[in-house]
Amino acid sequence: VMMMGSPDEEHTALATAMDAGKAAQEEIVDDLEDVDPMQVESVATNPVFLAKVDNRIGSYKPKVFAGPREGKKCLVLDVDYTLFDHRSPAETARDL
């Protein structure tokens, strides 16, 4: 005779865990219920962020490390310093 299934102890343990989870969920306060998604201002239209972008555009001076090669159309701008972080003590990317 082959029996399949789970022992009753496992079902009891799962039921106890589910009851504890439901009790914990009742304690959670949803503070976003009162927020109207249509009133939330987008980052793209927020005047604070737009002013920061305008300031960055006006103050940024691009540095050309190597002039364009004839017949090539590749332009690399490392605006967010992902290729080389100028704030590190390294003088070149190879020193990193």
Side-chain angles (χ1 to χ4, degrees):
V1 174
M2 179 184 283
M3 298 180 68
M4 296 181 70
S6 302
D8 288 338
E9 295 83 26
E10 286 184 23
H11 289 285
T12 305
L14 286 174
T16 305
M18 285 182 61
D19 291 339
K22 287 179 183 177
Q25 280 183 338
E26 291 173 1
E27 296 174 12
I28 296 173
V29 177
D30 186 6
D31 57 349
L32 295 177
E33 286 181 350
D34 301 333
V35 177
D36 182 14
M38 300 309 287
Q39 292 180 343
V40 176
E41 190 170 3
S42 170
V43 175
T45 59
N46 189 328
V48 173
F49 295 117
L50 291 175
K52 288 181 180 185
V53 169
D54 286 338
N55 181 34
R56 184 67 157 162
I57 290 171
S59 65
Y60 185 74
K61 304 291 185 234
K63 297 178 185 175
V64 178
F65 292 102
R69 295 179 293 167
E70 192 171 324
K72 304 296 180 181
K73 296 181 182 180
C74 181
L75 174 66
V76 177
L77 299 175
D78 189 21
V79 178
D80 60 352
Y81 310 112
T82 53
L83 298 177
F84 181 73
D85 184 5
H86 72 283
R87 295 180 188 114
S88 72
E91 292 183 19
T92 65
R94 291 177 196 244
D95 294 341
L96 294 176

